[in-house]
Amino acid sequence: MAIKRAWWKEAVGYQIYPASFMDTNNDGIGDLNGIRSKLDYLKDLGIGFIWITPIYESPNVDNGYDISDYQKILRTFGTMEEFDLLLEEAHDHGIRVIMDLVINHTSNQHPWFIESRSSVKDDYRDYYIWADGTIDGPPNDWVSIFGGSAWEYDETTNQYYLHVFAKEQPDLNWENPRVKRDLFSMVDWWLDKGIDGFRVDAISHIKKAPLETSSTNDPFDSFKNVPGIETHLEELRDIFKKRDILTVGEANGVSAAEAPKWVGETEGYFNMLFEFDHISLWNKEEQETLDVIHFKKALTAWQDALADGKGWNALYMENHDIPRSVSSFGSEETVFWQASAKALALTFLLLQGTPFIYQGQEIGMTNMPFASIDDIDAVDTKNFYHEMIHAGVEPSKAMNVIRRTARDNSRTPMQWTAEEYAGFSKRKPWMVINPNKQEINVLDELTDPNSVLNFYKAVIQLRNQNEALIYGSYKLYLPDHPQLFVYGRRLGNERFVVIVNLSKEFASADLPENVQIEEWDLQLCNLNNHTIHQHTIFAPYEARVYKHK
Ligand code: NOJ
């Protein structure tokens, strides 16, 4: 099959959470000039595009995902002129810029909502979803993803409004054509500016079931990938399709089987999706170790569903909503930390799809040992903690759960150096700094040839230089092996095989017949003492990639 090339298939992405990336005006919060100051670093890493999480005007109840003006930059991050400069300099570095598009909801401080809530007769009333209460209170039993009822009572008009996330994030009413018209013209405005695409937030929630629908076993069913969503997505796609941009939809509730419809080359709504299947595997509070078989199965389902040109994958193992991958999938223990961070890098970066690296992942940053709930900023985590306390859970036990699950684990400031404020700022940052900045930081890792950072660079370079690792097919070997993740990539005669031990124990396996070491050249390995005759025994977290001679 002929290769269908695209820049967004070939580039490696890097997600920036601006508040925690780099602070240049020393107010303790990262800023746009901070991102600009690190473009050389990103280019050197091999990055082709950055995705910047929301930088728009916002009261920051959900750290920017509650937007009060889509066309203004939040003052703490900088100005529109500084944004334009960042865009220009990023392009000069050969780095494209993807913005976050949050169009399922706005802030309750957005002028549309302020108008909407003012009267049932207001012109903007139908921009949001309003309903009368019932004898039991809210219009129905739907619950918010951030906890509690999905409805908030508003005294002014004696009605409730719907919010899938925090009560300060009212859901927009996509059934109203004026809402879509206004959103789409804002999308065009940003694209006209020259940005290179969007990560589209919470997009599988824009369609709601009829309000009479009761919650099922899945409490979010009534607003997750609800039939009829296609119509809205097709309209959005028609806006996107006019340009050569990258679009990646956050698609909670979309299965691998449905993926081709969402990302198919001609009719798809997006170029790729952030799926949730492999992530939910680490969400369980009790689960301490990774279930490797299930993990492979979840990822392979997507790889296979989108094979043979049926679509394209977005590859990620970290973002600003989930704990650090080394802590969840690998190991923080000193003996395993470095090998496991590299093992995860090799596993993810060479799958079929576009990799997204989350800031700090490339140096192996770990979860934060939060001392108390006062160190937590994320609204959902605070709600969850108070729900646990209310239900009688002991505070120390509740904190254990929080430490494992909080999304703030990935929002601690980027560790640039071992200095007091990690080289992120000259004053105390808005969020606690991980004390392990002494051992894990960019400055030290840049000069250590064996660092996680240098391994990331090497893997990215390998991908950038070999089309088979970009456009090649994917094949899973040894699906039932409980420790090893073994897969092949192939494009014509060019063949690679990736072998990773995702456990703390030695693993052995007879490799598939066509992976006989005499015929394969080792490209990269994460252990220094690798010897080729040990090819069927793998040390804890050992990871290798071979190319066929
Ligand atoms: C998903 C975003 O990634 C998350 O940070 C945010 O809280 C919700 N969507 C609501 O916008």
Side-chain angles (χ1 to χ4, degrees):
M1 199 173 19
I3 298 178
K4 271 193 112 178
R5 290 172 197 282
W7 68 264
W8 46 265
K9 293 179 180 173
E10 296 177 9
V12 172
Y14 188 92
Q15 183 193 346
I16 293 182
Y17 196 70
S20 302
F21 188 62
M22 181 66 203
D23 175 22
T24 50
N25 64 352
N26 293 309
D27 61 356
I29 306 169
D31 43 52
L32 295 177
N33 288 337
I35 302 176
R36 198 156 56 83
S37 72
K38 296 297 180 186
L39 289 171
D40 286 342
Y41 167 77
L42 295 170
K43 189 179 167 62
D44 186 48
L45 183 57
I47 295 305
F49 67 91
I50 51 176
W51 149 31
I52 310 176
T53 63
I55 49 171
Y56 317 98
E57 196 159 274
S58 162
N60 265 344
V61 170
D62 185 22
N63 254 335
Y65 283 94
D66 47 322
I67 297 171
S68 53
D69 190 330
Y70 286 105
Q71 278 148 285
K72 284 218 173 91
I73 301 289
L74 184 66
R75 245 201 345 198
T76 44
F77 289 142
T79 62
M80 194 57 86
E81 289 68 41
E82 284 164 353
F83 174 80
D84 292 340
L85 198 59
L86 169 62
L87 185 63
E88 192 184 319
E89 284 192 21
H91 285 167
D92 290 346
H93 279 74
I95 296 176
R96 290 178 160 98
V97 178
I98 308 301
M99 300 288 278
D100 219 305
L101 184 61
V102 188
I103 48 180
N104 172 69
H105 48 269
T106 67
S107 158
N108 62 348
Q109 300 306 311
H110 194 289
W112 297 340
F113 189 75
I114 293 173
E115 278 259 353
S116 179
R117 82 190 322 175
S118 67
S119 145
V120 288
K121 298 225 175 66
D122 189 86
D123 213 26
Y124 283 86
R125 185 66 170 180
D126 288 341
Y127 267 52
Y128 296 86
I129 300 163
W130 293 93
D132 289 329
T134 59
I135 203 143
D136 304 321
N140 62 30
D141 64 353
W142 297 359
V143 289
S144 150
I145 294 181
F146 283 180
S149 170
W151 295 95
E152 182 71 8
Y153 177 68
D154 201 52
E155 239 174 20
T156 321
T157 54
N158 191 27
Q159 277 198 317
Y160 288 78
Y161 65 86
L162 185 72
H163 59 92
V164 165
F165 296 96
K167 66 179 183 341
E168 295 84 357
Q169 294 168 298
D171 278 54
L172 284 161
N173 176 15
W174 274 70
E175 307 311 318
N176 179 351
R178 284 175 59 208
V179 168
K180 290 192 263 193
R181 183 202 61 195
D182 287 356
L183 289 176
F184 296 165
S185 80
M186 174 274 289
V187 165
D188 268 330
W189 184 86
W190 275 102
L191 291 171
D192 287 344
K193 240 181 181 318
I195 65 160
D196 303 287
F198 289 111
R199 174 268 188 185
V200 192
D201 184 68
I203 199 66
S204 54
H205 300 305
I206 57 175
K207 177 86 184 175
K208 318 309 187 223
L211 297 189
E212 305 74 63
T213 319
S214 286
S215 287
T216 61
N217 281 347
D218 180 340
F220 312 132
D221 253 2
S222 304
F223 45 75
K224 207 167 59 176
N225 193 13
V226 169
I229 194 170
E230 315 76 61
T231 323
H232 300 321
L233 294 174
E234 281 161 12
E235 289 177 50
L236 184 59
R237 173 198 61 200
D238 293 343
I239 305 289
F240 291 156
K241 279 272 146 100
K242 292 185 282 183
R243 328 238 187 175
D244 179 25
I245 54 171
L246 182 160
T247 58
V248 51
E250 191 200 25
N252 193 0
V254 178
S255 66
E258 291 164 289
K261 188 164 132 209
W262 282 63
V263 298
E265 290 267 355
T266 44
E267 297 293 307
Y269 316 130
F270 303 99
N271 298 146
M272 52 193 131
L273 294 180
F274 286 135
E275 49 86 15
F276 278 57
D277 295 344
H278 76 284
I279 290 303
S280 59
L281 288 173
W282 69 31
N283 236 348
K284 299 186 195 84
E285 287 151 33
E286 323 80 43
Q287 190 183 304
E288 292 286 344
T289 54
L290 178 67
D291 181 338
V292 175
I293 296 178
H294 273 95
F295 182 66
K296 292 188 284 191
K297 213 172 168 182
L299 288 166
T300 300
W302 281 80
Q303 295 280 303
D304 289 347
L306 298 177
D308 306 323
K310 287 198 289 297
W312 196 257
N313 281 288
L315 309 169
Y316 75 104
M317 52 177 172
E318 285 189 23
N319 64 34
H320 62 293
D321 288 332
I322 48 179
R324 290 288 182 178
S325 61
V326 183
S327 307
S328 304
F329 286 169
S331 172
E332 290 180 5
E333 287 170 62
T334 318
V335 278
F336 298 131
W337 163 75
Q338 191 180 71
S340 74
K342 294 178 183 178
L344 291 169
L346 203 65
T347 306
F348 267 87
L349 291 171
L350 301 185
L351 288 167
Q352 191 279 339
T354 299
F356 289 72
I357 296 166
Y358 177 71
Q359 65 186 45
Q361 178 186 326
E362 77 279 19
I363 54 169
M365 279 179 67
T366 63
N367 280 355
M368 172 73 203
F370 289 108
S372 99
I373 192 68
D374 300 334
D375 289 342
I376 297 283
D377 171 79
V379 55
D380 60 316
T381 312
K382 286 197 261 194
N383 290 348
F384 183 39
Y385 177 82
H386 293 301
E387 274 170 22
M388 282 193 283
I389 300 297
H390 195 69
V393 178
E394 251 180 62
S396 65
K397 288 214 170 105
M399 270 318 288
N400 281 341
V401 176
I402 296 298
R403 265 181 228 112
R404 269 205 301 274
T405 55
R407 39 188 196 161
D408 283 349
N409 274 308
S410 56
R411 298 177 179 186
T412 61
M414 180 72 184
Q415 292 163 207
W416 295 105
T417 69
E419 288 164 284
E420 185 177 11
Y421 300 127
F424 161 77
S425 178
K426 291 207 167 50
R427 61 163 268 200
K428 197 165 180 246
W430 71 283
M431 164 65 68
V432 283
I433 293 182
N434 198 313
N436 66 17
K437 65 180 191 307
Q438 315 287 354
E439 298 83 44
I440 305 178
N441 66 69
V442 171
L443 189 65
D444 290 346
E445 293 199 24
L446 277 172
T447 51
D448 171 4
N450 291 321
S451 67
V452 176
L453 179 60
N454 279 315
F455 192 76
Y456 262 87
K457 269 193 213 174
V459 183
I460 294 171
Q461 203 175 41
L462 189 71
R463 183 185 185 276
N464 286 348
Q465 289 170 354
N466 289 280
E467 288 215 317
L469 294 173
I470 300 171
Y471 293 108
S473 62
Y474 163 91
K475 180 173 166 55
L476 180 71
Y477 297 108
L478 310 177
D480 299 321
H481 198 294
Q483 296 163 281
L484 294 179
F485 195 160
V486 185
Y487 64 85
R489 300 291 314 273
R490 176 177 197 154
L491 186 70
N493 292 329
E494 212 177 55
R495 280 195 284 162
F496 286 83
V497 64
V498 174
I499 310 168
V500 184
N501 179 359
L502 286 172
S503 79
K504 287 181 190 167
E505 284 83 40
F506 277 85
S508 68
D510 285 333
L511 296 179
E513 268 171 66
N514 51 354
V515 188
Q516 288 311 318
I517 250 63
E518 307 78 53
E519 297 165 16
W520 293 77
D521 272 337
L522 185 68
Q523 304 290 299
L524 281 173
C525 175
N526 64 345
L527 301 185
N528 301 329
N529 57 357
H530 170 83
T531 48
I532 220 147
H533 44 267
Q534 287 175 329
H535 71 270
T536 56
I537 300 180
F538 299 87
Y541 294 110
E542 182 167 354
R544 306 176 201 163
V545 53
Y546 292 97
K547 185 177 186 181
H548 198 265
K549 283 179 187 163

